[in-house]
Amino acid sequence: MPRFVYLNGQYVDHSNAFIHAEDRGFLFGDAVYEVIACIHGHLADEVGHLDRLKRSLNELKMEMPVERETLRFLMRELLRKNKQKNAAIYIQISRGSAKRDFKFPDVDTPQTLLMISSDFDYDGNVGVVKGIRVKTVPDIRWKRRDIKTVLLLPQSMAKQSAVDDGLDDVFMLDKDGFITEASASNAWIVNKEGTLITRPVTHDILKGITRTAIEKLCRDENIKIEERAFKPEEAYEAIEAFTTSATALVTPVVEINGHKIADGKRGKITQKIYEEYRAYVDGLRGKQVSWESGL
Ligand code: PDD
C-alpha cells in the first residue's frame, strides 16, 4: 500500500519526500514541530497542539504557513490517504530554504511544511503497562525548552545513553540537581499522601499538552497536584512515578538510577490517570480543554 507524506502542498510518496539541501531546519535547526496522537480516529488534544505550534512559531518570529482550518483538513486527509486510525502525526515547519546565512532570510521566503503520519499501536504500548526504567543525566539543552524546536540532539544523545545502559529513558537534571523532564515527556511523581508532583511551567521545560489535560482531569477527580521541582532522592521515595506525552500517554516509571519505585510495577494512581486520559481522548469525558501559553 502506498504511504503518503504531506510536503509543501502535495501528498507525496514516502520514499520520494525530500527537503531542499539549504532548508534552514536542516542547516540551523530553524524549525518547530508538534506530535499529535490519533487514537481510534480521535485526534488527541488537537486544539492544544495547534495552539502550542502557533506559540512556538511566534517565539521564533515565524507565521503559520497555512490557516489553522486548512492544517486540520490536511492532517485528516493525510490520515485518510494512509488509511490510519492509530497514528502519531508529526508536523514540522521550518523557515524555508535560503542561501546559508545566520540572519533570517526575507520574510516572503516560503516556509517548509511537512507532515508525516506513522502507525502507532496505542493499545499495544508495552511501556504503558510494564513501565520504564530511567537514569538521570545533566540537562544540556538550551534555555528556551518551552519552544518545541527540532534542536533535539541533547535529548537524542541522552536517550541513546539510556538505551546503551539497557534502560528506556532519562530524567534530565538542571544545574541544581532538580529533575526537569524526560527526553521527550514530562516527569511526575506521587508522594505518600497521594499528591502528584510535577515541575512548574517555565522556560525550563516544555509545557506538555498531555500534562495540561491531566491537570484538568485531576482537578475533576480531586487528585491534588503540587507544581514544584523535585530531586531524584525524593523520587526514589515516591509511591509512583510516571511520564506524560502525546505518544507515551501516561507511562509508569518503575526504576530510577537503579532504585525501584515502590514494588516496581504500575501503580493504581498512574493506571487511573491513564484510564481517565484515554476516556478523555475518546471523547467520553466531554470537551477537550484548550491550551493557553501562560508563560
Ligand atoms: N515530545 N517534554 C518534552 C521535551 C517533549 O519533547 C514532549 C513531547 C513533552 C510532552 O509534551 P506533549 O504532552 O505535548 O506531547 C514534554 C513529543 C511526543 C516528541 O518529541 O515526539
Side-chain angles (χ1 to χ4, degrees), residues 58 76 100 102 109 129 147 150 154 175-176 180 189 191-192 194 274 277 291 293-294:
N58 201 40
R76 284 168 175 75
R100 186 175 181 274
F102 282 78
T109 305
V129 180
I147 310 173
V150 301
K175 63 176 183 9
D176 300 315
T180 52
I189 55 171
N191 71 11
K192 294 195 170 62
Y274 172 78
Y277 184 71
W291 183 89
S293 83

Side-chain angles (χ1 to χ4, degrees), residues 79-145:
L79 291 166
R80 193 188 64 75
K81 278 183 170 295
N82 286 333
K83 298 187 173 45
Q84 286 164 319
K85 291 247 178 291
N86 292 291
I89 306 171
Y90 176 83
I91 308 172
Q92 179 171 322
I93 300 171
S94 87
R95 209 181 300 271
S97 73
K99 182 165 179 276
R100 186 175 181 274
D101 193 343
F102 282 78
K103 73 172 166 48
F104 296 167
D106 289 348
V107 282
D108 54 7
T109 305
Q111 288 166 282
T112 303
L113 171 56
L114 167 72
M115 281 197 272
I116 305 167
S117 66
S118 310
D119 288 345
F120 203 100
D121 181 10
Y122 292 95
D123 293 323
N125 190 338
V126 179
V128 163
V129 180
K130 291 194 78 176
I132 57 169
R133 295 159 63 223
V134 308
K135 67 169 182 174
T136 55
V137 296
D139 193 334
I140 59 169
R141 295 176 296 166
W142 74 327
K143 291 182 181 159
R144 291 301 307 273
R145 301 159 189 164

Side-chain angles (χ1 to χ4, degrees), residues 33-37 45 48-49 52 88 90 141 145 147-149 152 155 172 180-187 204-214 243-249 277 291:
Y33 78 104
E34 276 298 328
V35 177
I36 308 181
D45 272 320
H49 284 282
R52 188 173 62 189
Y90 176 83
R141 295 176 296 166
R145 301 159 189 164
I147 310 173
K148 201 162 170 61
T149 76
L152 296 172
Q155 286 108 302
M172 296 182 284
T180 52
E181 53 190 334
S183 66
S185 52
N186 291 120
D204 292 340
I205 61 163
L206 185 75
K207 183 182 180 188
I209 308 300
T210 321
R211 177 192 185 282
T212 306
I214 285 166
T243 65
T244 57
S245 80
T247 45
L249 306 181
Y277 184 71
W291 183 89

Side-chain angles (χ1 to χ4, degrees), residues 59-75:
E59 293 298 301
L60 300 181
K61 300 189 166 39
M62 276 194 256
E63 300 282 334
M64 277 284 251
V66 293
E67 295 289 330
R68 177 186 283 238
E69 281 313 305
T70 307
L71 194 60
R72 296 184 61 207
F73 170 79
L74 296 174
M75 266 194 282

